[in-house]
């Protein structure tokens, strides 16, 4: 397996493992009643994406077209979490999880760019 494929597989596998653990725990946190359904929908949708990450990890070359979508998944939480924290509207824990998502998004971007560069240089 070429190094860029191995890198992408590891990034997506570890992101999925991290996400499954964190999101499973989020199901048990108390949420104010008017937002309970929204919270469960967010957590459930995010958990589905962990499955997408695992699929990509199994065959990064085949599923490389999905990688930009996964970057947007990370930006959808990371950017607002940091923005709200910067305005004093979110706590440090939320900002920390947002920063982790932005870091994972950056790793997803690096993995995708490396795969594209490798494919282009191999004539694929």
């Amino acid at each position: 397996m070429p190094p860029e494929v191995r890198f992408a597989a590891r990034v997506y596998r570890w992101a999925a493992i991290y996400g499954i653990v964190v999101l499973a725990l989020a199901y048990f946190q108390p949420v104010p009643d008017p937002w309970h359904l929204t919270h469960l929908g967010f957590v459930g949708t995010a958990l589905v994406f962990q499955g997408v990450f695992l699929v990509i990890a199994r065959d990064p070359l085949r599923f490389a077209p999905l990688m930009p979508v996964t970057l947007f998944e990370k930006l959808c939480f990371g950017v607002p979490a940091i923005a709200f924290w910067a305005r004093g509207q979110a706590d440090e824990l939320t900002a920390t999880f947002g920063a982790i998502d932005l870091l994972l998004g950056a790793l997803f971007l690096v993995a995708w760019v490396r795969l594209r560069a490798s494919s282009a240089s191999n004539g694929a």
Side-chain angles (χ1 to χ4, degrees):
M1 181 182 300
E4 48 282 329
V5 175
R6 196 168 36 253
F7 173 77
R10 286 180 180 158
V11 165
Y12 277 91
R13 186 175 303 107
W14 284 108
I17 292 167
Y18 161 79
I20 290 167
V21 170
V22 169
L23 291 164
L25 293 174
Y27 266 125
F28 301 107
Q29 76 182 66
V31 177
D33 193 44
W35 297 107
H36 195 71
L37 181 58
T38 302
H39 174 77
L40 292 176
F42 165 77
V43 172
T45 302
L47 271 170
V48 167
F49 256 94
Q50 308 318 300
V52 172
F53 300 162
L54 289 172
V55 168
I56 292 170
R58 289 197 53 134
D59 193 347
L61 286 173
R62 179 176 178 196
F63 295 106
L66 284 174
M67 290 181 176
V69 176
T70 65
L71 171 60
F72 290 119
E73 188 269 349
K74 291 301 176 193
L75 293 174
C76 284
F77 178 72
V79 170
I82 297 299
F84 274 65
W85 171 76
R87 294 174 47 184
Q89 295 175 311
D91 59 16
E92 277 113 18
L93 185 61
T94 301
T96 300
F97 285 117
I100 291 169
D101 264 18
L102 291 178
L103 172 63
L104 290 171
L107 289 170
F108 288 177
L109 180 61
V110 169
W112 182 60
V113 168
R114 287 180 64 179
L115 280 179
R116 286 178 51 100
S118 173
S119 294
S121 68
N122 291 333

